[in-house]
Amino acid sequence: MALPTYHPRIKICCISTPQELALAVAAGADALGLVARMPSGPGILPDDQVRRLAQLTPPAVGSFLLTSETDTTSIIAHQCRTGTSTLQIVDRLSTGSYQDLRTALPGIQLVQVIHVVDERAEEEAHRVAPHVNAILLDSGNPGLAVKELGGTGRTHNWAISRRIRDGLNMPVFLAGGLTPDNVQDALAAVRPFAVDVCSGIRTNGHLDPVKLRRFVQAVRTFEG
């Protein structure tokens, strides 16, 4: 019997203007990432701009709030200010629980970022997975004096990501240093539910239509 066809989804992150949003949607993005206040990294927006972009996002496309808040009270307030369909929590929870988030925000999807610094990411992913809707594997480093919580433009050890993906019965997103030139290699190595790209399709900080089209085409034509 033939195996099911593999159709990885595409999340375009660091969307910063209505024009970029329209470009990403027209290119076939399944989800958009809207970056709020961060200690470092590109694409940071004030909350009112995140809310405006979330309102412009078509219903069939996910709107992800990238929040660096770590206590659940602040995370809940952040989502209420911005109105996205999904919470992408880019750091570890410091106080409260995922159940607090689910109770306060019914219907909002929870995605926890795991930064694949080393093999300890596997244990963290398995600990968090039962409490969220999806895991997103990225290349930041929360342990630095100035935390890196995304948008580094670096790849990480995809072998670790593959082990995480194989060990979890849930959607796993792959981020970190993806480009039109390496995304098919990433898909072959990890076979994630979705790929997530920011700097790899930008030129001088702006979403590049040519790179965007090449990235989407590479994902859509992947055979593996």
Side-chain angles (χ1 to χ4, degrees), residues 90-161:
V90 302
D91 203 350
R92 298 181 182 94
L93 293 187
S94 60
T95 59
S97 68
Y98 294 103
Q99 187 56 51
D100 295 334
L101 299 176
R102 291 200 180 281
T103 300
L105 302 169
I108 301 301
Q109 300 291 295
L110 303 181
V111 177
Q112 177 64 57
V113 174
I114 304 294
H115 297 286
V116 185
V117 178
D118 53 35
E119 287 79 4
R120 290 173 293 180
E122 291 185 66
E123 180 183 348
E124 185 177 3
H126 282 272
R127 176 180 58 80
V128 169
H131 309 290
V132 297
N133 298 100
I135 294 290
L136 189 149
L137 305 173
D138 205 350
S139 303
N141 188 344
L144 298 178
V146 178
K147 293 182 178 184
E148 291 180 337
L149 301 175
T152 65
R154 298 193 305 265
T155 58
H156 56 260
N157 187 336
W158 289 339
I160 298 174
S161 290

Side-chain angles (χ1 to χ4, degrees), residues 141-196:
N141 188 344
L144 298 178
V146 178
K147 293 182 178 184
E148 291 180 337
L149 301 175
T152 65
R154 298 193 305 265
T155 58
H156 56 260
N157 187 336
W158 289 339
I160 298 174
S161 290
R162 179 59 183 254
R163 292 198 296 270
I164 294 172
R165 180 264 182 202
D166 286 347
L168 297 179
N169 186 26
M170 67 188 311
V172 173
F173 290 66
L174 180 67
L178 300 181
T179 70
D181 297 318
N182 71 6
V183 69
Q184 290 198 346
D185 292 335
L187 291 169
V190 181
R191 292 186 69 84
F193 169 80
V195 287
D196 184 349

Side-chain angles (χ1 to χ4, degrees), residues 8 55 64 71 86 92 98 109 136 148 151 167 193-194 203 210 212:
Q55 291 171 340
F64 284 51
D71 69 274
T86 301
R92 298 181 182 94
Y98 294 103
Q109 300 291 295
L136 189 149
E148 291 180 337
F193 169 80
T203 300
V210 175
L212 171 64

Side-chain angles (χ1 to χ4, degrees), residues 179-180 183-184 187 213-222:
T179 70
V183 69
Q184 290 198 346
L187 291 169
R213 286 194 295 271
R214 288 183 57 222
F215 186 90
V216 172
Q217 182 179 29
V219 175
R220 299 297 188 222
T221 60
F222 175 73

